[in-house]
Every structure is written in C-alpha cells, then in structure tokens.
Amino acid sequence: MEQRSTRIALAAWTTLVVLFLWIPLALIMVYAFNKSNVQSWPIAGFTTHWFHVAWTSSDVRGALWLSVRVALIATTAAILLGSAAAFAVARFAFFGRDAVSFLFILPIALPGIVTGMALNSFFIAGHIDANMWTIVIGHATFCIVIVYNNVLARLRRSSPSLIEASQDLGADGLQTFRFVIWPVLSTALVAGGLLAFALSFDEVVVTFFTAGAQNTLPLLIFGYIRLGQQLPVVNAIAFAMIVVTVIPVALAQRLMRDTGVLRRGAAATLAAK
Amino acid sequence: MATGLDSAEGLSRRRPGRPVRAARLRLSGLFWRHPWAKALLLLAPPLLAFGLVYLAALVALFVSSFWTVNPFTTEIEHVWTLSNYRTLWDAGAYHQIAYRTIGIAAVVTVTDAILAFPLGYFMARIAGGRSRAFVFVAVLLPLWSSYLIRVYIWRLILDNDGVLNWSLRKVGLPAANIGYSNWAVWLVFTYVWLPFMILPVYGALERIPESFVEASRDLGASAFTTFRRVILPLALPGVVAGSIFTFSLTLGDYVTPLLAGGASSQFIGNVVYDSVGVSNNVPFAAAFAAIPLVVMAVYLLIARKLGAFEAL
C-alpha cells in the first residue's frame, strides 16, 4: 500500500483534474442565462430569453432535425454492420482476423481531416453530390467501431458453450439467438447504439467534408461561433446539448455496468471518437 | 448431428409450421457443420461496406493528391503530376505549419499523459468503489459532451473580459491575455482530449495484478523501484493507447486552431479546410492531408510494437 502522503497527493491531483474538466462545463451553463449580447464575465444579468430564441429559430430547428435523422440512420447501419463483424471476430478464428479489427479502428485512429478529405475525394471522384446520405456514410464508418467494440467485449465475456448447449437441446439458430444470445447482448447493443448516436450527433470535423449546403447542428454552431453571430443562441444550445448528452451516456454506462463489463470494457467503450 | 435433429423433430411435432421449422433447423445444422459459411455471411456485409467506402476513399485521397486544378476553369484535371507535393516541399510556410501541427500534437499528448497518469493510478489502486465510480463518470461525461461546445467555452474563458482575467484580477495578479494564441490552442487541445488519455491509462493500471506488486515488495524492492520496474512498464501500453487518440485527434483538427488560436496558429487541418471550403482546390488539400496520414501510419506501427492495441 502506498504511503499516506502519496495517497493524499494523488487524491488532490485527481480532484484538481476533475475540476479542470468540469469548471468550463459549469461556466457554459451559466453563460446560457446571460442577459447581455456581450459574452464577458461576470454575466450581466439573468434571463431565459435565449432558450426561447434558440427553440423558435427555423435554422436551429432545421439543423437539429437533420442531425437527428443522420444520427438515427448512421446508428442503425452501425448496429447492423458492427455487431455482424463482432460476431464473426468473436466466434471464429480466421486468417487476417487482427487485420479486420485494425481496419475497423482506422476511421477513429486516423486524424479527422484524413478521413474527411478521403471521403471528400471519394465523393468527388465518384461524381456524387454532397447530400444527407454522404453525411450518413461518413458517420456510419466511424460509428461501426463503437458498436463493434461494445458487442465484441460482451461476446468475449459470454461462454460459447451456452450456444452449444442451446443447440444440443434442439433449438434452431433463430431460437438460440432469441433466447440465449439476445439476453446477453441486448444491453451491449443499446449501449453501443447510444454512444454511436451521441458521436454522430456531435461530429463536426469530418462532417464538414461530407456535407453540402445543408447544416447539421454542430456545423451550424461552428458557423455561428466562427462569425461571432448569435452567440447567446449558441450558449443556450450548449446548455441543452450538455444536459441532453448526459442522459444517453449515463444510461449507456449503467447498461454496461449491469453485467460487469464496464471495468474491463472501459477502454473499449472509449475507442469511440 | 442426427440425434440432435431427431429430438428437435420431436419438439416441433406439437407446433404448427413444421416445414418452416425443419428448414430452419437444417440451416442451423448447415451453419454448425460449416462454420466458415456463417463467418463469411457475417463478415461480408461490414467488410464490403468498409472496403467499398473507406478503403476506396483512402485510395481516392491518395490518387487525387496527384491531380491538379485548372486555375481558370477550377475543374479538376486528371493528369498525374507531383506539383502539389512540389508546392508543399518548396514553400517554407507549409513546413512551418506541418512542424507546428506535429509539435503541438506531441506536446498536448505529453501534457495529457502527465495529467492522466496520477489520476488513473488513484482510480485503479487507491480509490474505493464509490469514489472510483464517481471519478469514472466525471471523466466519461465530458468525453461525450459536445466537442465544439467544449472548445467554444475556452474562447469565453480566455477572452480579455473572460473568467481567467477576472479571477487573476481578483487575486491581484496581472491579466494573462493568452486568448487567440498557440498557448490557447495547447490548453484547449489538452482539455478536450484529456478523457481519451485517462480511460486507457486507468484500464491498463487496473489490470495489473496486486500479486505482482506484492511479489516485488517481498523481494525487497522499494516502493519507487516497484513503481519504476513493475507498474510503469505494465501501464505503458495504456499510455501509448491513449496517445494514439490525443496525438491523432490533434493532428487532424482544424476547429480548435480556428476558434481558439490566432493568426499564427494555422494547422495542417486549416490549410486543408481552406483549400476545400474557400479555394476549392481538392487535390492540394488531399496532398497536404497525406502528411498526417503518413505520420499516423508510422505512429500506429510503433504503437502496435509497444502492445498498445491490446490496451485500446
């Protein structure tokens, strides 16, 4: 066991780092209620006016709706493809298995502009005009790995003999899936799906290269911040986004913890962005 | 296998839809006898989708970096030439941008590792169950909350009229005024990528068996020697795994330099962003994007050697 002084020093360090992570988030929550257009500290006064402005803005609503649609479609694709790949990698030993794992990690391991530029050149070379589907394709490529990692971690923890037992007892593939695999897998799928959704909903670096004239919510906010426009509205959206992301992430975290996957799967969950 | 089918027949006798079920059973049997078929069926869709889009896109990136844009018509000319790479090679400004990008990415990675290691150590080896869970969630939530917002908030904090200068004034210190500088870029990158370093470092530290530490102490090693010779080498793959994210994410970003940086904070990403968004020169952007691609390829190869992929 470490000495008492070491333990106290480490606890203090941890506290400081956690504060470093959270003070800025707390500040943006305060700025959302800033009465003034000028974003200086301390804030000029208290108002909830900007939430109303943000909520009724047609630009914000349009961008929000596009972001939700893109995230839903990309997440669905990621769940189907990512879990299929996870099943193959978990259950079968085949030549090039490590290469497959490596391949799926590439879109998040390579720098954002590489993935973005690659997709951009690809769409231009294929004479594909940017539209909602080009954004979806971009998002799906890096959402797959999140579902893949979550499902793979869960499958590695469950014993293959359960499936053999089910088959020995006369169940066919569909029944085995429904009664044996699904109960083990469902929470990992939901958790992976939630995280994939959160990632797609938030992505901006790659999205710029795959979006045409239309704005996702992050692209809209990015434009506002860059041009210094509508900053009070940005603050209000920031407040909402922080509150909204807390819910799926907390939920995903609970789902993974239920079966004790979290501690080992923590780093796997993370292979996320 | 025959007995399995027999008993399944018996089971299905009581139900309607026997032919369907028999067919399903035959299919299950087939997959059981030929696991290859199942593996192929499962792997083909994701691999095809991935190959057709992502790998093809990387090839397209590479190929189009050898094309040029006609300055008059702004059409892409599909003629193989090294002119984009020559421009990058000849212009000192691009060298500087590349060095700045790689340099800041390296410094951010080191800073994050220094911040993350003691925290991961505390979580893995000192904290009790409850405080460990608390810190874990406290790290996880910022990771998932909006990246753009977390960059933007630092603009407000570091602004001349922001929280930082206000706090410094309160305690009687001179204003810092580091907004819109490379210091700001370093600070913001360190902030936004920190959770990506903490989680794998914690994961690696947590996997070290307590018996290793006890054995080391039993054999007479001091606490410091145990740390240096046992814990540190075992935790290294976690640090390298985290560094893949912090380094790569910084290398490929243009949002933070644009929003938090100043006139002399241009990154490779900003040149690429402007080439696509403003001057519409995709081939040149592709050529410049090839540099972080090569840097990351080398980095990943080294990381693999150091065992970082198991700690991802």
Side-chain angles (χ1 to χ4, degrees), chain B residues 153-227:
Chain B
I153 180 61
W154 281 98
R155 236 168 114 103
L156 303 185
I157 294 174
L158 301 179
D159 192 77
N160 284 345
D161 296 323
V163 180
L164 180 68
N165 279 353
W166 179 83
S167 318
L168 288 173
R169 220 170 25 244
K170 281 279 161 187
V171 292
L173 288 168
N177 294 337
I178 60 165
Y180 310 107
S181 67
N182 285 338
W183 288 105
V185 174
W186 165 71
L187 182 62
V188 174
F189 271 135
T190 300
Y191 174 75
V192 288
W193 307 140
L194 180 57
F196 286 93
M197 180 63 89
I198 292 176
L199 293 180
V201 167
Y202 159 65
L205 282 165
E206 209 244 2
R207 280 193 293 270
I208 299 173
E210 189 58 36
S211 54
F212 284 24
V213 179
E214 280 165 11
S216 166
R217 300 304 297 271
D218 286 348
L219 292 168
S222 69
F224 181 71
T225 309
T226 304
F227 176 78

Side-chain angles (χ1 to χ4, degrees), chain A residues 57-67 69 215-216:
Chain A
S57 154
S58 60
D59 286 345
V60 173
R61 284 195 169 196
L64 175 67
W65 178 226
L66 179 67
S67 281
R69 273 183 302 167
N215 271 331
T216 62

Side-chain angles (χ1 to χ4, degrees), chain A residues 2 21-22 109 173 226 235 263, chain B residues 28 121 138 152 191 206 248 273:
Chain A
E2 287 73 12
L21 284 172
W22 277 89
R226 209 178 24 162
N235 295 343
R263 288 174 72 198
Chain B
S28 307
Y121 192 94
Y152 163 67
Y191 174 75
E206 209 244 2
S248 172
Y273 175 79

